[in-house]
Amino acid sequence: MADYTVKQFDQMESIFGETFRRARAELGVTSFGMQFMSLVPGGFYPNHDHEGDNQEEVYIAIDGGAEFDIEGEKIRLEPGSALRVGPGTKRHIAPDPGGFRMIALGGVPGGVYTAPEFTELGGPEPVPPAQD
C-alpha cells in the first residue's frame, strides 16, 4: 500500500490567526520541520536564530515578496526563489505591503530533527518572544 498524505494549506491547523500552518504535523513528516506561513505587514515574525537547536532553515517563496534581514544584510525573496540560513545566523522577515506566503523547512545538519511542541497538532500556541 502506498504511503502518502495530501492536504490543502487552508485546511491545515493554524496558530497566530492564519499566519502559521502546522504543515509538518498535518502531513505526518517527522524527519524535518516544515511550516506554511502567510505573513502580513507588521505581523508576527521574530528576529531569531537556531543556534540552540542547531537547525538550519530554507525559506521558499510562494506568493508576494519580503525583505529578509540576515544580520544586517538585506535579502529580497520573491516567488521562484529560496533562501537558506544557517543555525547561528539571526534572521527577520519584513513582508511587502501585499503580504508574503512561504514554506519554511528546517533540519539539523548531520543530526536528528526534533519537532518543537508548538508545531504539533493541538499543541500550545507559543508566546511570541520580544523583538531584538
Side-chain angles (χ1 to χ4, degrees), residues 18-111:
E18 300 295 313
T19 299
F20 184 103
R21 302 282 179 160
R22 292 175 165 150
R24 180 203 56 75
E26 288 281 3
L27 294 172
V29 173
T30 58
S31 58
F32 58 89
M34 179 180 67
Q35 310 312 330
F36 175 76
M37 297 185 201
S38 295
L39 303 177
V40 296
F44 167 73
Y45 197 87
N47 186 24
H48 74 288
D49 64 34
H50 285 278
E51 189 169 28
D53 59 11
N54 197 36
Q55 179 177 286
E56 67 182 343
E57 290 184 317
V58 172
Y59 302 95
I60 302 168
I62 302 297
D63 187 44
E67 182 177 86
F68 283 65
D69 182 328
I70 310 294
E71 295 192 354
E73 187 173 343
K74 306 299 185 192
I75 307 294
R76 181 103 185 117
L77 208 62
E78 296 176 333
S81 60
L83 168 67
R84 178 206 160 268
V85 182
T89 301
K90 287 210 180 278
R91 76 287 316 252
H92 182 266
I93 303 170
D96 288 353
F100 180 59
R101 295 180 347 134
M102 69 173 180
I103 295 173
L105 303 171
V108 179

Side-chain angles (χ1 to χ4, degrees), residues 12-15 20-27 34-36 117-126:
M12 294 179 178
E13 185 176 294
S14 66
I15 59 175
F20 184 103
R21 302 282 179 160
R22 292 175 165 150
R24 180 203 56 75
E26 288 281 3
L27 294 172
M34 179 180 67
Q35 310 312 330
F36 175 76
E117 185 179 13
F118 79 91
T119 67
E120 298 293 350
L121 295 177
E125 187 166 320

